[in-house]
């Protein structure tokens, strides 16, 4: 077996860090909530000896670990990466062959309404992707087999993937009463069968890159950094709960104009303008002490 390198990747959830491997080592997805569940997963069992490990996820070429709040990831993530690399390069197996290959994780999926009547949020009872991604068409969906398959339903207009849910925006020609059960069943079966929601080899595609907090490669000024911190701490949690996402795009210090990207249920939502002006804009004005500041969505 080739030598495994481990790359540390942050996720949208500050409690979860993804440890990406240089090779694909397992098929399907596995979730372990405690050490008793790791009988056939020796690496997961080893990780649970670390007192801060809360949950371990394995899929394809990555291991994601959720921490308890007793530590911060910057203090321990290098230690975890080294332990994973040492285990794999010492010949350790992620999943023992005694684990039944056909065993599927118990999955539940339910539909949840959002402020956007064209978008429904399908919530899954486990982590399905450590990153978020928004796809407007099947050509953009190359990194996600799930999104590609969903676009084959003629009524699917857009797909937004987050840590434990899929937001689907439909065309107006079809009602949710006609399609909700079909979509819920499809998503449930796809995940139960071990389908890979996001292909890590395609993670640098445009659709996934736009989910990063800073969409520009240029250094940010202090005010932009403040805006990003406010969005992440005070605004994004509420937006995520409604099946959407918001990302910083740019700040013009002369015009005092903040541009953001709306994704998922927020993109095209009838109430998004109200939310921008009476919610996000007011919060930023107050916290930045900039009464003339304006917030604008570049895609809504």
């Amino acid at each position: 077996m080739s030598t495994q390198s481990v790359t540390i990747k942050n996720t949208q959830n500050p409690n979860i860090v993804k440890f990406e491997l240089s090779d694909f080592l397992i098929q399907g997805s596995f979730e372990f909530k405690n050490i008793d569940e790791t009988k056939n997963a020796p690496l997961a069992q080893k990780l649970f000896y670390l007192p801060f490990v809360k949950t371990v996820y394995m899929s394809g070429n990555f291991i994601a670990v959720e921490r308890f709040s007793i530590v911060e990831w910057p203090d321990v993530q290098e230690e975890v990466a080294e332990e994973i690399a040492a285990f794999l390069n010492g010949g350790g197996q992620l999943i023992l062959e005694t684990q039944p290959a056909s065993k599927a994780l118990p999955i539940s999926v339910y539909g949840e309404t959002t402020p956007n009547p064209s978008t429904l949020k399908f919530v899954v009872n486990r982590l399905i992707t450590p990153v978020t991604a928004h796809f407007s068409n099947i050509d953009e969906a190359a990194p996600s087999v799930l999104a590609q398959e969903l676009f084959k339903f003629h009524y699917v207009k857009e797909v937004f993937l987050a840590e434990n849910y899929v937001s689907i925006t439909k065309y107006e020609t079809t009602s949710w009463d006609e399609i909700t059960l079909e979509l819920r069943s499809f998503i449930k079966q796809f995940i139960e069968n071990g389908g890979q929601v996001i292909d890590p080899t395609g993670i640098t595609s445009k659709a996934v890159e736009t989910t990063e907090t800073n969409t520009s490669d240029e250094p940010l000024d202090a005010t932009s950094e403040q805006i990003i911190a406010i969005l992440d701490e005070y605004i994004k949690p509420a937006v995520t709960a409604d099946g959407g996402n918001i990302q910083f795009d740019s700040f013009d210090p002369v015009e005092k104009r903040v541009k953001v990207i709306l994704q998922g249920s927020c993109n095209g939502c009838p109430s998004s303008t109200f939310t921008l002006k009476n919610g996000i804009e007011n919060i930023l004005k107050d916290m930045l002490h900039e009464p003339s500041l304006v917030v604008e969505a570049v895609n809504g």
Side-chain angles (χ1 to χ4, degrees):
M1 187 177 69
S2 61
T3 301
Q4 290 294 316
S5 61
V6 179
T7 304
I8 300 170
K9 297 287 184 69
N10 293 323
T11 74
Q12 298 294 323
N13 185 336
N15 293 326
I16 298 176
V17 164
K18 175 183 171 186
F19 299 90
E20 194 170 284
L21 313 177
S22 50
D23 295 323
F24 285 82
L25 297 182
I26 58 173
Q27 292 186 341
S29 300
F30 301 86
E31 176 183 343
F32 305 98
K33 291 288 189 182
N34 56 64
I35 198 168
D36 289 339
E37 298 178 356
T38 62
K39 179 180 178 182
N40 296 310
L43 176 59
Q45 188 174 84
K46 190 175 181 68
L47 290 173
F48 273 111
Y49 286 122
L50 300 171
F52 54 84
V53 171
K54 181 179 180 180
T55 311
V56 177
Y57 310 92
M58 296 182 179
S59 181
N61 75 329
F62 72 84
I63 297 159
V65 179
E66 182 180 10
R67 66 171 174 85
F68 285 108
S69 58
I70 59 172
V71 299
E72 296 296 331
W73 271 121
D75 297 329
V76 296
Q77 60 190 20
E78 294 291 344
E79 173 191 351
V80 176
E82 289 173 6
E83 187 152 336
I84 292 172
F87 176 88
L88 294 173
N89 292 323
Q93 290 180 279
L94 291 180
I95 303 295
L96 298 180
E97 294 180 1
T98 53
Q99 179 84 5
S102 60
K103 183 179 179 181
L105 290 172
I107 298 295
S108 67
V109 179
Y110 67 90
E112 190 175 283
T113 58
T114 75
N116 187 342
S118 296
T119 302
L120 198 64
K121 177 181 175 182
F122 292 88
V123 183
V124 186
N125 66 333
R126 49 153 291 203
L127 178 82
I128 58 173
T129 169
V131 298
T132 59
H134 182 267
F135 306 108
S136 298
N137 55 62
I138 196 168
D139 288 339
E140 292 180 358
S144 171
V145 177
L146 175 58
Q148 289 179 54
E149 293 300 316
L150 287 171
F151 276 115
K152 293 178 182 179
F153 293 98
H154 67 89
Y155 46 76
V156 171
K157 182 179 180 182
E158 295 181 10
V159 176
F160 176 70
L161 304 175
E163 289 171 355
N164 73 324
Y165 67 84
V166 182
S167 282
I168 296 177
T169 303
K170 67 173 182 64
Y171 288 102
E172 295 182 2
T173 52
T174 308
S175 71
W176 283 119
D177 290 340
E178 299 175 71
I179 62 177
T180 298
L181 181 59
E182 181 178 32
L183 287 171
R184 185 181 70 81
S185 299
F186 176 81
I187 293 169
K188 182 176 186 294
Q189 185 175 25
F190 181 91
I191 296 172
E192 282 181 339
N193 290 340
Q196 195 171 35
V197 175
I198 287 283
D199 177 1
T201 62
I203 212 162
T204 57
S205 71
K206 179 181 178 182
V208 179
E209 280 182 346
T210 58
T211 66
E212 297 298 327
T213 301
N214 175 20
T215 62
S216 171
D217 293 330
E218 298 179 3
L220 295 173
D221 58 82
T223 303
S224 295
E225 293 283 5
Q226 282 184 280
I227 292 169
I228 290 172
I230 293 168
L231 291 176
D232 286 347
E233 184 172 354
Y234 296 97
I235 297 168
K236 188 174 291 186
V239 172
T240 300
D242 285 336
N245 194 38
I246 184 169
Q247 298 291 347
F248 174 81
D249 180 76
S250 62
F251 171 65
D252 187 327
V254 177
E255 296 184 0
K256 304 295 182 185
R257 184 178 302 274
V258 178
K259 292 185 179 182
V260 296
I261 298 170
L262 300 177
Q263 298 174 318
S265 63
C266 298
N267 186 23
C269 177
S271 62
S272 62
T273 301
F274 179 86
T275 301
L276 282 173
K277 294 300 177 184
N278 294 278
I280 299 166
E281 188 172 280
N282 286 343
I283 290 173
L284 290 174
K285 283 180 178 180
D286 182 58
M287 299 191 75
L288 295 173
H289 307 292
E290 290 281 2
S292 61
L293 184 142
V294 175
V295 177
E296 174 185 311
V298 298
N299 63 330

